[in-house]
Amino acid sequence: MTQIATAPRGLTDLGPIAQLRAGRLTRRLSQLYLGLVAYGVSLALMVRGDLGLAPWDVLHSGLIRHVPLTLGQAVVVMSFVVLIAWIPLRELPGIGTISNALVVGFSADATLAVLDRPDGLVLRIALMIGGVLLCGLASALYIGAQLGRGPRDGLMTGLARRTGRSLRLVRTGLELVVVVIGLVLGGTLGLGTVLYALAIGPLTQLWLPAFTVELSVRNREAIVLAPN
């Protein structure tokens, strides 16, 4: 008989099938999609604030200057490009991975369609700060649902595992690379980029314990990851 255990209140690294068998699926799916939609809204808030974007969105905003895509479409396209890089890293996508690749971009475009850039600097600063805060909450929601890493998160963890480098070092290196490429393409860099880089980790870590769903998993399948 296979022993079933409740994972400690932390992130559990499971394969795609095990993710779906780990229980509380209705709660986790609802939380996943709420988080992904909120993530797209947060991206749009920072775009309309027009004071700088998150590192990957610097790349996306530069890309759309050269190809006939909306910002949300660029997010979707780049998500699937990044997923191709998962193949040599042997990362396994889950339902959350594919959902992330699609929902964030569509949510961002839908929000941009109804939200205009305000004229006042105070309102733009409010949108920038609100976008960063919402992004931290959205990250905690979709990560805590434990249904698979996002494309960019999986690239980071795969590279860290393959190179033996720390997650912090790999993430910093990746974000520096995408910011440089985005700037070369004409992307938007500013105060919001710095604020995002400094705040998103602490904000996600602050909210993640509250939204990490405890799973019932097979002992032999689970590797418990520290939430930080």
Side-chain angles (χ1 to χ4, degrees), residues 52-64:
L53 300 174
W56 279 94
D57 296 324
V58 175
L59 174 59
H60 301 143
S61 65
L63 180 63
I64 63 175

Side-chain angles (χ1 to χ4, degrees), residues 1 18 48-49 59 73 81-82 93 111 121 147 153 159 183 198 205 207 224:
M1 180 180 294
R48 291 305 188 225
L59 174 59
Q73 290 167 350
V81 170
V82 169
T111 306
L121 180 60
L147 283 164
D153 295 329
L159 285 172
L183 287 175
L198 292 175
Q205 184 171 335
W207 283 314
V224 178

Side-chain angles (χ1 to χ4, degrees), residues 8-221:
R9 199 163 183 83
L11 299 179
T12 308
D13 192 15
L14 299 173
I17 302 301
Q19 290 167 10
L20 298 175
R21 295 168 55 190
R24 306 186 70 179
L25 194 57
T26 300
R27 153 74 189 274
R28 291 163 61 214
L29 285 171
S30 299
Q31 183 173 308
L32 169 70
Y33 288 109
L34 177 61
L36 294 179
V37 169
Y39 201 108
V41 173
S42 75
L43 191 167
L45 292 178
M46 293 190 71
V47 170
R48 291 305 188 225
D50 197 21
L51 291 168
L53 300 174
W56 279 94
D57 296 324
V58 175
L59 174 59
H60 301 143
S61 65
L63 180 63
I64 63 175
R65 293 177 177 270
H66 303 276
V67 294
L69 296 173
T70 65
L71 184 65
Q73 290 167 350
V75 171
V76 173
V77 169
M78 285 304 303
S79 294
F80 283 98
V81 170
V82 169
L83 282 176
I84 294 173
W86 280 34
I87 297 172
L89 296 174
R90 297 183 181 178
E91 289 285 300
L92 295 176
I95 186 173
T97 308
I98 304 303
S99 297
N100 186 302
L102 295 170
V103 174
V104 172
F106 295 152
S107 172
D109 271 352
T111 306
L112 289 170
V114 299
L115 182 66
D116 293 326
R117 177 186 182 276
D119 294 327
L121 180 60
V122 173
L123 290 176
R124 291 169 56 203
I125 292 173
L127 287 178
M128 175 190 69
I129 294 174
V132 173
L133 290 172
L134 182 58
C135 187
L137 177 60
S139 298
L141 284 166
Y142 89 77
I143 292 171
Q146 306 211 61
L147 283 164
R149 301 181 183 93
R152 295 154 187 80
D153 295 329
L155 179 63
M156 174 186 66
T157 56
L159 285 172
R161 188 180 66 251
R162 287 289 177 175
T163 63
R165 304 295 184 181
S166 69
L167 287 173
R168 182 177 301 178
L169 179 61
V170 171
R171 174 174 177 167
T172 300
L174 279 172
E175 293 188 347
L176 284 173
V177 168
V178 298
V179 164
V180 170
I181 296 173
L183 287 175
V184 170
L185 293 174
T188 304
L189 179 72
L191 177 61
T193 311
V194 177
L195 178 62
Y196 181 97
L198 292 175
I200 196 64
L203 285 172
T204 303
Q205 184 171 335
L206 174 67
W207 283 314
L208 189 56
F211 294 107
T212 298
V213 182
E214 292 187 40
L215 305 181
S216 296
V217 299
R218 299 179 186 276
N219 282 344
R220 66 169 181 262
E221 294 175 329

